Amino acid sequence: MSEAVNRAWTMASRPDGEPIAENFEIVESPIPTPKHGEVLIRTQYMSLDPYMRGRMRSGPSYATPLQLGEVMTGEVVARVEQSESHLYKVGDTVRANIGWQEWAAVGAHTVRPVNSDLGPISTAVGILGMPGMTAYFGLLEVLKPRAGDTLVVSAASGAVGAVVGQIGKLNGCFVIGVAGSDEKCAYTIDELGFNAGINYKTQDVSAELARLSPTGVDCYFDNVGGPVSDAVFENLALKSRVAICGQISQYNASTPPQGPRNMAALIRTRTTIEGFLVYDFELQHEIARTRIANWIKDGSLKYKEDVVEGFEKAPEAFIGLLNGQNFGKLLVKLSD
Ligand code: NAP
Ligand code: FER
């Protein structure tokens, strides 16, 4: 082990708008000694996710906001380096909510085993972890697509969106992805099998949707909100369903917009809108994890990871995630 100390990224100040480097600070501390019932773990991969921006603001949420000086929230994949618990042995791989840090001593019951038979360990916080679960349940339990439905997904090449579109295809949908570059759109069509892609930065999303699906959009898996969603709302089909998964276009806004827009369009179409949280389906996560792993093994599901090397790079990579610089599930790799 190269470092004699533990390093943790903390929130030094609350961002006003887009986060900047000065909002984050590395704090060093001794590598902790595990007590009875604890494990000492060393981070291999840190997951960077959009929800972390929400934790940096003070305001109502399902989770307590971060306090100044607190370690940035997040889930990691880690190796057990010392065990004072019968639950884990040295060398086991676990996922743990220890935030952006290199080492931690935590109660063994607070971490979850990672089964490397299901896939590479990094996928435990990606397609086989929280983002994969979000896609699976948001699509199958909230939108409930039927074969032949037109399904639109925004942030289509991302950790959640890419899985939504592919499971939509497995369920017989006509899948249209909306993403921020031609390269991302081409990937969702050529590699993932989506039917069509719309680059919201260069194309008229509403006109493209009308052209691609003249009968309207039956299911909209919304990851972004804002102008992309306005365009989808103009094209909803009768009895359409909208799942509000994320609103990333608003996360850096100092004053969030008040109220949804273009609601009149939903009267004619009798649309249902439902927000959801991945944790609503926690009891069913293991079933979904097994199904997704099987789909990966039989070639039905593909995934892309955007791996940034080095603990120091975390804030820069996170800032990039909020403006579309990632291409696939964003991870920071610390060690093998
Ligand atoms: P991701 O899609 O891998 O990365 C975020 C992507 O959002 C960026 O790459 C960018 O892609 C897009 N984006 C950024 N700013 C945008 C803007 N102004 N307008 C349109 N698109 C923009 O992230 P993820 O982890 O899969 O998360 C996707 C969404 O799901 C997020 O909104 C997240 O908060 C939400 N989520 C919700 C839950 C839940 O329980 N409800 C759980 C997990 C994730 P482009 O280059 O295509 O713009
Ligand atoms: C996310 C976006 C929002 C997410 C959770 C939320 C787990 C919850 C927000 C809230 O409670 O205000 O990506 O992922």
Side-chain angles (χ1 to χ4, degrees):
M1 76 191 58
S2 55
E3 64 275 14
V5 294
N6 174 40
R7 292 183 300 170
W9 276 110
T10 61
M11 182 176 75
S13 54
R14 282 193 203 285
D16 179 14
E18 193 179 346
I20 53 173
E22 290 70 30
N23 298 137
F24 306 88
E25 186 183 14
I26 288 186
V27 170
E28 295 189 348
S29 61
I31 293 173
T33 305
K35 297 197 239 343
H36 179 69
E38 290 187 337
V39 284
L40 175 69
I41 58 175
R42 184 183 187 186
T43 301
Q44 292 166 291
Y45 291 94
M46 285 182 348
S47 179
L48 296 183
D49 299 273
Y51 76 86
M52 294 165 178
R53 178 65 184 84
R55 298 286 171 84
M56 297 182 84
R57 81 172 70 238
S58 58
S61 166
Y62 75 102
T64 319
L66 278 169
Q67 301 303 308
L68 295 185
E70 211 177 322
V71 177
M72 286 294 298
T73 317
E75 199 174 28
V76 306
V77 179
R79 182 179 186 273
V80 174
E81 298 289 345
Q82 190 183 333
S83 180
E84 301 301 328
S85 160
H86 65 279
L87 294 175
Y88 295 99
K89 58 182 187 325
V90 172
D92 283 349
T93 307
V94 296
R95 70 194 156 86
N97 267 304
I98 62 167
W100 299 12
Q101 62 180 326
E102 295 174 314
W103 294 85
V106 286
H109 61 280
T110 70
V111 308
R112 293 283 169 269
V114 169
N115 178 357
S116 57
D117 293 339
L118 296 184
I121 60 168
S122 57
T123 60
V125 288
I127 189 165
L128 294 177
M130 190 277 282
M133 300 298 115
T134 304
Y136 183 99
F137 291 103
L139 182 67
L140 298 179
E141 296 295 332
V142 180
L143 285 180
K144 298 189 169 79
R146 290 178 279 256
D149 278 355
T150 293
L151 164 69
V152 172
V153 57
S154 48
S157 71
V160 174
V163 184
V164 170
Q166 291 181 88
I167 300 182
K169 285 302 298 177
L170 292 175
N171 282 268
C173 295
F174 181 80
V175 176
I176 305 172
V178 183
S181 74
D182 290 347
E183 196 191 358
K184 287 181 175 181
C185 288
Y187 165 74
T188 63
I189 299 167
D190 301 339
E191 304 286 329
L192 307 183
F194 291 17
N195 298 91
I198 304 175
N199 178 346
Y200 71 90
K201 291 188 178 161
T202 59
Q203 291 181 284
D204 179 335
V205 179
S206 183
E208 278 302 298
L209 286 173
R211 185 182 69 78
L212 290 164
S213 186
T215 54
V217 173
D218 302 290
C219 300
Y220 175 38
F221 194 107
D222 183 17
N223 283 319
V224 306
V228 170
S229 291
D230 291 345
V232 180
F233 277 26
E234 286 170 12
N235 288 278
L236 289 170
L238 196 63
K239 295 299 266 177
S240 46
R241 286 91 65 204
V242 175
I244 305 296
C245 174
Q247 299 281 287
I248 196 166
S249 72
Q250 315 297 315
Y251 292 175
N252 283 334
S254 301
T255 321
Q258 292 303 302
R261 301 183 286 203
N262 201 6
M263 291 294 108
L266 312 185
I267 302 170
R268 178 182 55 81
T269 54
R270 289 79 158 176
T271 296
T272 304
I273 306 186
E274 188 174 340
F276 75 96
L277 256 180
V278 59
Y279 309 111
D280 300 340
F281 305 95
E282 195 121 47
L283 295 178
Q284 301 166 72
H285 280 192
E286 287 314 318
I287 299 165
R289 214 183 315 279
T290 306
R291 287 195 81 192
I292 293 176
N294 287 336
W295 278 328
I296 295 170
K297 280 188 181 138
D298 73 17
S300 308
L301 276 191
K302 296 189 177 136
Y303 63 92
K304 188 179 184 67
E305 295 176 333
D306 187 337
V307 183
V308 172
E309 303 252 356
F311 180 74
E312 307 74 20
K313 302 267 179 59
E316 186 187 324
F318 177 61
I319 293 165
L321 173 74
L322 296 169
N323 58 39
Q325 281 169 31
N326 65 306
F327 192 172
K329 169 64 197 138
L330 182 60
L331 299 161
V332 177
K333 185 176 177 182
L334 276 64
S335 61
D336 279 315

